Amino acid sequence: MSTQQTISPIDGSIFAERVLASRSDIEGALAKSVQAQKAWRSTPVAERAAICRRMSEHLVSQAETLGEELTRQIGRPIAYSPFELKRGFAERVAYMCDIAAECLSDLSITPKEGFTRFIRREPRGTVLVLAPWNYPWLASVNAIVPALLAGNSVILKIAPQTPLVAERYQEAFRAAGLPQGVFQFLHIDHDQVAEVIGDSRINFVAFTGSVAGGHAVQRAASSRFIGTGLELGGKDPAYVRSDADLAFAVENIIDGAMFNSGQSCCAVERIYVHSSLFDSFVEAAVALTRKYVLANPLDPAATLGPMVTAAAAEKVKAHIADAVARGARPLIDESHFGEAARGGPYLAPQLLVDVDHGMLVMSEETFGPVAGIMSVKDDAEAIRLMNDSRYGLTASIWTKDEAAATTIGDQLEAGTVYMNRCDYLDPALAWVGVKDSGRGCTLSQLGFEAFTRPKSFHFRK
């Protein structure tokens, strides 16, 4: 009997321990999922949406309790954790439910005398959702709710750092009246995941995680003709133009870099500032970063908590050390943040200047509370540097000129281009990455396409 442990980054204690599913558990879940989906696909979309809304309401009503539970699992400050459910989660569920009936309706074709023709969107069957720990509610809901709305059954495998999220989903769907077997979860290891992906009863895989994890999913699916949606890493840039509102840009970009200790696929990791604002931006950014409070995340005053593991913190330290060894200059004194002295997963935020793209901190996903800042002379240089990455998730432009932002955005290799905001998913817009940031799309009216397949009806009268 194999088990998995969730070690709380707060104090290194075992917060949860779960027995991994056995072969018979997995077989039972797959068989039940296939059987349940047969009836679920015939359930009216309005009824599916009503169940998803009730599920969301059930979870949001417990947001404070579940927020503390999440803080203990991943170390995010408790001042922020409940809002993953109250805001982003609730917003995404509501929007996808609102548009489901229209988006899943039959596609009409230009009338042709003597024929009836239309395209119907059919559910794929059983969808396997592989979700990460860093935003476990938000990353999972992007796939779970659209998949269910489209008439699929869902099996969720969530990261071992956040097992309770999967269990709370199950409780919420049960309370909402979802038929048994339509949603299930499995606590399984990587080898078991590969076996499940290879099973003929899985019809689509939605994965959110690292580039390496995305390649593993692709390998596991390579012998089968099934679709995979891959939302992978990022090295997201921000560009501050000469006409930007400096104070506004500093406040939002630093928040985009430091929130959740930088452990976000769309965190700002590279900052390019027009030379005319560079010194002022750096001065203000340093002053703001020094105001963060690194502390036990259960302390309501904490604005930075520990990273998820000591190993994650060591990776970030290695990126900083590589940059300094290559000539970068760190601007934040770690001694200013008392908790950083504890070591382990507690890590002080850092800003670096005199950086270049030969440094890991400017080329590889750091996934921590660190950003490099470079001066640029014009839009062309900013575009070149922003695109000089193997990642392409989001990019932000800080300016008062919307036409200029559109022109720049057209040239950026990114799935989402922001103006005067960052690190946010609007459920009305497609969430998509390019290059090594992944493949496929979630959210928006396009988000249903991954979870359905077209069937053409061509009737001669």
Side-chain angles (χ1 to χ4, degrees), residues 98 135 218 248 306 320 360 369 371 373 396 399:
D98 286 347
Y135 284 92
Q218 281 294 98
F248 181 82
I320 295 171
L360 293 174
I373 311 174
S396 59
T399 180

Side-chain angles (χ1 to χ4, degrees), residues 44-250:
V45 174
E47 187 175 336
R48 298 177 205 160
I51 290 173
C52 288
R53 290 183 196 276
R54 292 197 294 270
M55 174 277 297
S56 178
E57 290 164 2
H58 180 88
L59 290 171
V60 171
S61 72
Q62 303 176 68
E64 296 299 327
T65 299
L66 299 181
E68 179 179 339
E69 191 173 85
L70 183 59
T71 290
R72 293 182 183 276
Q73 289 173 91
I74 69 171
R76 182 189 303 154
I78 199 166
Y80 306 134
S81 288
F83 295 101
E84 184 170 345
L85 283 165
K86 287 182 179 180
R87 292 179 184 168
F89 184 92
E91 179 185 28
R92 295 179 197 184
V93 173
Y95 184 80
M96 297 308 287
C97 287
D98 286 347
I99 66 172
E102 180 179 356
C103 291
L104 294 168
S105 62
D106 293 343
L107 292 173
S108 300
I109 307 299
T110 304
K112 184 177 181 180
E113 186 176 353
F115 294 89
T116 297
R117 302 179 303 165
F118 61 92
I119 301 171
R120 179 155 290 168
R121 295 179 173 92
E122 284 200 325
R124 290 185 178 272
T126 295
V127 173
L128 176 65
V129 176
L130 306 174
W133 58 265
N134 60 324
Y135 284 92
W137 294 108
L138 294 183
S140 58
V141 78
N142 291 353
I144 291 172
V145 166
L148 291 175
L149 289 171
N152 301 283
S153 56
V154 169
I155 296 176
L156 170 65
K157 188 279 180 193
I158 206 155
Q161 194 67 34
T162 51
L164 274 66
V165 170
E167 296 166 17
R168 300 299 176 242
Y169 261 120
Q170 184 84 291
E171 294 168 4
F173 275 122
R174 186 179 299 120
L178 184 71
Q180 189 176 14
V182 176
F183 172 88
Q184 299 173 84
F185 70 86
L186 289 170
H187 294 315
I188 51 181
D189 63 24
H190 292 318
D191 291 339
Q192 291 174 307
V193 168
E195 291 178 10
V196 171
I197 292 173
D199 192 285
S200 62
R201 290 165 290 188
I202 294 296
N203 306 108
F204 187 84
V205 181
F207 171 79
T208 303
S210 67
V211 174
H215 282 298
V217 169
Q218 281 294 98
R219 286 193 296 272
S222 63
S223 63
R224 303 188 55 222
F225 297 121
I226 61 171
T228 57
L230 307 173
E231 199 244 285
L232 309 179
K235 191 70 185 174
D236 293 4
Y239 170 38
V240 183
R241 296 185 80 234
S242 61
D243 66 337
D245 180 327
L246 182 63
F248 181 82
V250 169

Side-chain angles (χ1 to χ4, degrees), residues 415-454:
T416 297
V417 177
Y418 299 106
M419 185 183 86
N420 297 334
R421 81 176 312 169
C422 58
D423 195 23
Y424 171 76
L425 277 70
D426 183 334
L429 296 174
W431 186 243
V432 57
V434 300
K435 299 191 283 190
D436 273 5
S437 286
R439 183 187 65 208
C441 164
T442 56
L443 300 178
S444 81
Q445 60 184 337
L446 302 178
F448 289 107
E449 294 183 4
F451 304 109
T452 59
R453 55 173 169 261

Side-chain angles (χ1 to χ4, degrees), residues 10 17 21 39 62 80 140 242 265 290-291 299 306-307 314 329 429 443 452:
I10 297 174
E17 187 168 11
Q62 303 176 68
Y80 306 134
S140 58
S242 61
C265 56
R290 286 175 177 157
K291 293 180 181 179
D299 181 347
M307 297 197 66
E314 287 302 316
R329 183 161 51 93
L429 296 174
L443 300 178
T452 59

